[in-house]
Amino acid sequence: QVQLVESGGGSAQAGGSLKLSCVVSGLTYSTPCMGWFRQAPVKEREGVALIDNDFSERYADSVKGRFTISKDNNKHTLYLEMDNLKPEDSAMYYCADNLVPSCGWYTQAYNYWGQGTQVTVSS
């Protein structure tokens, strides 16, 4: 069955860096769209970064210029490089996979989700 497993979260100081990984198993092909989303306590889940099967990237305004999404199709792994972290980046980060040929911010469009990895940024 399809599984997405995130790793790489942890604690960092403001201005520091973390790199998240998401290993996908159970799929025999590269899906049209993968993304990173995050959710802080008492807040709604929000999109962070998206990448389609042509490696085209999109970012939320709040992380643009600081975060970089990438993927390695051979390793079935999605990455999120986070630089210049800010306390407001603290959240549970989830990777998601969309089987429909589209790539957007609507969370309900994504078919599969990982369990999440916690990122905590201190000032």
Side-chain angles (χ1 to χ4, degrees):
Q1 61 184 34
V2 177
Q3 291 188 13
L4 284 69
V5 180
E6 302 97 335
S7 63
S11 299
Q13 292 283 99
S17 299
L18 288 171
K19 187 173 184 177
L20 309 183
S21 299
C22 172
V23 178
V24 181
S25 62
L27 292 172
T28 59
Y29 57 92
S30 298
T31 54
C33 180
M34 297 188 71
W36 287 98
F37 297 77
R38 67 186 183 188
Q39 187 170 18
V42 307
K43 293 184 178 181
E44 295 184 355
R45 189 169 299 184
E46 63 177 354
V48 175
L50 307 174
I51 187 167
D52 65 17
N53 56 7
D54 291 323
F55 295 86
S56 180
E57 307 160 31
R58 283 189 281 167
Y59 299 93
D61 289 340
S62 59
V63 307
K64 194 174 299 182
R66 300 188 297 117
F67 290 11
T68 303
I69 189 171
S70 62
K71 64 177 179 178
D72 186 331
N73 287 336
N74 291 329
K75 295 182 178 180
H76 307 287
T77 303
L78 180 73
Y79 304 98
L80 184 68
E81 175 68 37
M82 304 184 294
D83 296 318
N84 193 23
L85 285 163
K86 302 177 180 180
E88 52 262 44
D89 294 319
S90 297
M92 184 73 75
Y93 283 72
Y94 301 88
C95 63
D97 203 338
N98 184 6
L99 303 182
V100 177
S102 63
C103 204
W105 302 107
Y106 186 50
T107 60
Q108 291 182 281
Y110 290 80
N111 303 95
Y112 300 104
W113 294 83
Q115 295 298 308
T117 185
Q118 181 67 46
V119 171
T120 303
V121 183
S122 59
S123 60

